[in-house]
């Protein structure tokens, strides 16, 4: 039996240059896992600091008035807290203003301080010169606000487009909505993003998503929502599962369902893969890792994509951390680690900007690649090091997905 998981706290991002963890109530210990089922979820603040004066300046190019900008600030704060920006008529002007700022790239510049070191640009669909833009399937697509669904939201990054109604979908588990949205948008992913948050218990994720009918019901809601928003001939093409921290348990529950794993084209795990130990010899419980191992083998052969990032955190409990658990997958696939850029202990800061913009580099200590199976191990044994796997996702695992879906034809 998989051992009970020790408590940990949810994350908030308030630091100027690098994320930190702030706890609503003192945790008993930190680990890469989540608090037990039934633990109350803390109130999460907005992911980044926002400057009203900067928004006002940016709004000039977007054609927004002062009142609309203030409404956008309120709207963004509500969106960060997971509140539906389209739920009531009173919020409509604010939601529209926020949407304009986001569509012009202004909100992304304000909210996302960590720029990708080598961003990968999505290869958006080319439109033939003879085709009227109004004939595109997304010509009337309403991108304002978010689309609420049970346990989460659906969001449309500015990089999403569809000429014929076909769309790829990423289902991401665990993470502040605005941070996840910004990560995929900064990486230039051409896909719809569904974000699911079920508190801070990995057990809650696995229990819910081990039910075979649950995700298909959410996919149906996503389809209906896109049709209602104006995407003509909307039809699902490819699905990727993405998870940070405790969200890995939802991915495990889904991959463990007979037949469903075949429909998943890609898996991204951001410092979130764990297993227990066997009671007799303290070896890894490989049965718990089996769904991930099978998918990793398919990725190594080039049939799927799997990208994993992990820290050096050792959990406080009788279960394996993300590094040790990932090593088991490397052994299954035959992939070998090699030193990464972060192995240079002197390369601590990225000084490409001014001194005030310098921020700690996030280079891997080690890397392993075989086929479309990618592993990057990063330094850090503290709480902010764990959070960084979420806030820097646009630089680490997400570019693998952008590249994979840009270069591979839909199957």
């Amino acid at each position: 039996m998989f051992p009970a998981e020790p408590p940990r706290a949810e994350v908030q991002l308030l630091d100027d240059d690098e994320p930190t963890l702030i706890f609503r109530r003192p945790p008993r210990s930190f680990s890469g896992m989540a608090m037990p089922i039934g633990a109350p979820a803390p109130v999460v603040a907005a992911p980044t600091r926002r400057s009203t004066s900067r928004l006002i300046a940016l709004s000039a190019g977007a054609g927004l008035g002062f009142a609309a900008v203030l409404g956008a600030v309120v709207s963004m704060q509500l969106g960060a807290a997971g509140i539906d920006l389209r739920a009531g008529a009173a919020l409509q002007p604010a939601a529209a203003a926020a949407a304009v700022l986001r569509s012009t790239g202004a909100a992304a510049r304000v909210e996302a301080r960590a720029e990708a070191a080598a961003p990968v640009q999505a290869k958006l669909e080319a439109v033939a010169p003879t085709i009227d833009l109004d004939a595109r399937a997304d010509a009337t697509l309403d991108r304002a606000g978010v689309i609420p669904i049970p346990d989460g939201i659906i969001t449309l990054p500015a990089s999403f487009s569809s000429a014929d109604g076909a769309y790829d979908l990423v289902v991401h588990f665990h993470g502040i909505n605005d941070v996840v949205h910004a990560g995929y948008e900064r990486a230039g992913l051409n896909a719809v993003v569904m974000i699911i948050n079920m508190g801070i218990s990995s057990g809650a994720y696995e229990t819910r998503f081990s039910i075979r009918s649950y995700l298909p019901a959410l996919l149906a809601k996503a389809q209906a929502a896109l049709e209602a928003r104006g995407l003509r001939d909307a039809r699902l093409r490819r699905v990727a599962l993405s998870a940070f921290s405790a969200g890995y348990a939802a991915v495990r529950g889904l991959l463990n369902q007979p037949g469903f794993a075949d429909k998943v084209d890609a898996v991204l795990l951001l410092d979130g893969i764990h297993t227990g130990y066997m009671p007799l010899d303290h070896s890894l419980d490989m049965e718990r890792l089996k769904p991930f191992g099978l998918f990793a083998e398919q990725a190594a052969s080039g049939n799927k994509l799997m990208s994993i990032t992990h820290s050096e955190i050792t959990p406080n409990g009788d279960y394996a951390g993300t590094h040790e658990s990932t090593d088991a997958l490397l052994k299954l696939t035959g992939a070998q680690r090699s030193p990464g850029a972060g192995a240079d202990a002197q390369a601590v800061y990225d000084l490409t900007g001014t001194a005030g913009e310098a921020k700690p580099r996030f280079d891997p200590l080690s890397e392993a690649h075989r086929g479309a199976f990618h592993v990057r191990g990063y330094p850090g044994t503290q709480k902010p090091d764990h959070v960084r796997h979420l806030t820097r996702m646009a630089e680490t695992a997400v570019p693998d997905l952008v590249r994979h879906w840009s270069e591979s034809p839909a199957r």
Side-chain angles (χ1 to χ4, degrees):
M1 178 179 295
F2 189 59
E5 299 163 354
R8 56 156 293 185
E10 180 61 283
V11 302
Q12 298 185 27
L13 311 174
L14 300 175
D15 192 70
D16 286 346
D17 296 307
E18 284 297 308
T20 58
L21 290 179
I22 294 180
F23 302 93
R24 173 62 67 183
R25 58 187 182 86
R28 292 194 296 273
S29 62
F30 171 79
S31 71
M33 297 289 287
M35 297 185 72
I37 298 175
V43 177
V44 182
T48 53
R49 301 195 313 172
R50 294 165 172 82
S51 168
T52 302
S53 60
R54 188 177 180 188
L55 276 175
I56 294 173
L58 290 170
S59 69
L64 297 176
F66 180 73
V69 174
L70 292 181
V73 174
V74 175
S75 178
M76 290 177 183
Q77 295 287 346
L78 292 174
I83 298 176
D84 175 22
L85 302 183
R86 296 172 56 85
L91 295 178
Q92 291 284 357
V100 172
L101 287 175
R102 175 169 283 139
S103 66
T104 59
R109 292 193 295 272
V110 173
E111 296 176 1
R113 295 179 61 90
E115 296 297 333
V120 178
Q121 299 297 325
K123 296 181 179 179
L124 302 181
E125 300 160 304
V127 181
T130 57
I131 298 178
D132 190 339
L133 292 179
D134 291 337
R136 290 178 56 89
D138 59 4
T140 59
L141 178 62
D142 179 6
R143 299 172 177 269
V146 300
I147 303 170
I149 58 173
D151 299 316
I153 64 169
I154 296 173
T155 181
L156 304 176
S159 48
F160 170 68
S161 68
S162 176
D164 60 0
Y167 63 94
D168 295 327
L169 175 70
V170 175
V171 185
H172 178 90
F173 302 97
H174 205 61
I176 300 171
N177 293 341
D178 279 6
V179 176
V180 176
H181 170 93
Y184 280 106
E185 190 166 79
R186 291 203 318 273
L189 183 67
N190 182 13
V192 177
V193 178
M194 178 186 293
I195 307 171
I196 304 292
N197 280 293
M198 303 187 69
I200 54 179
S201 167
S202 62
Y205 284 103
E206 184 162 5
T207 298
R208 183 69 59 87
F209 287 94
S210 293
I211 302 173
R212 297 185 183 182
S213 61
Y214 193 73
L215 185 60
L218 291 182
L219 298 181
K221 290 182 180 296
Q223 173 74 19
L226 289 171
E227 292 173 352
R229 283 292 186 95
L231 182 62
R232 296 195 298 269
D233 300 320
R235 60 191 183 278
L236 179 62
R237 186 167 47 190
R238 294 173 291 196
V239 175
L241 303 179
S242 170
F244 166 66
S245 191
Y248 88 96
V251 178
R252 182 188 182 279
L254 290 169
L255 295 182
N256 210 28
Q257 296 180 21
F260 185 81
D262 295 336
K263 302 176 183 179
V264 178
D265 188 58
V267 167
L268 309 182
L269 298 175
L270 311 172
D271 206 26
I273 178 172
H274 298 274
T275 190
Y277 294 112
M278 301 302 291
L280 295 179
D281 59 1
H282 207 64
S283 62
L284 293 182
D285 183 351
M286 295 304 296
E287 187 63 26
R288 294 284 301 177
L289 288 176
K290 185 176 180 180
F292 297 116
L294 292 175
F295 202 91
E297 290 176 328
Q298 294 182 74
S301 65
N303 295 325
K304 306 278 188 178
L305 167 72
M306 190 173 200
S307 184
I308 298 175
T309 71
H310 68 77
S311 66
E312 296 296 312
I313 295 170
T314 300
N316 294 324
D318 192 28
Y319 64 98
T322 54
H323 188 152
E324 187 176 6
S325 300
T326 301
D327 280 345
L329 302 190
L330 291 175
K331 185 175 181 180
L332 286 174
T333 61
Q336 300 292 322
R337 290 184 186 268
S338 59
D344 179 5
Q346 301 303 314
V348 178
Y349 289 95
D350 181 357
L351 298 176
T352 55
T354 65
E357 296 172 345
K359 59 187 179 184
R361 293 177 60 175
F362 196 50
D363 294 325
L365 290 173
S366 65
E367 298 185 50
H369 306 278
R370 182 166 187 178
F373 177 55
H374 308 288
V375 170
R376 297 174 181 88
Y378 291 88
T381 60
Q382 304 302 313
K383 302 164 188 176
D385 302 314
H386 177 59
V387 182
R388 207 166 284 128
H389 287 259
L390 179 68
T391 61
R392 306 290 282 272
M393 61 192 292
E395 305 166 50
T396 59
V398 178
D400 292 332
L401 180 59
V402 173
R403 196 175 300 111
H404 178 67
W405 276 354
S406 298
E407 297 175 354
S408 303
R411 291 189 287 270

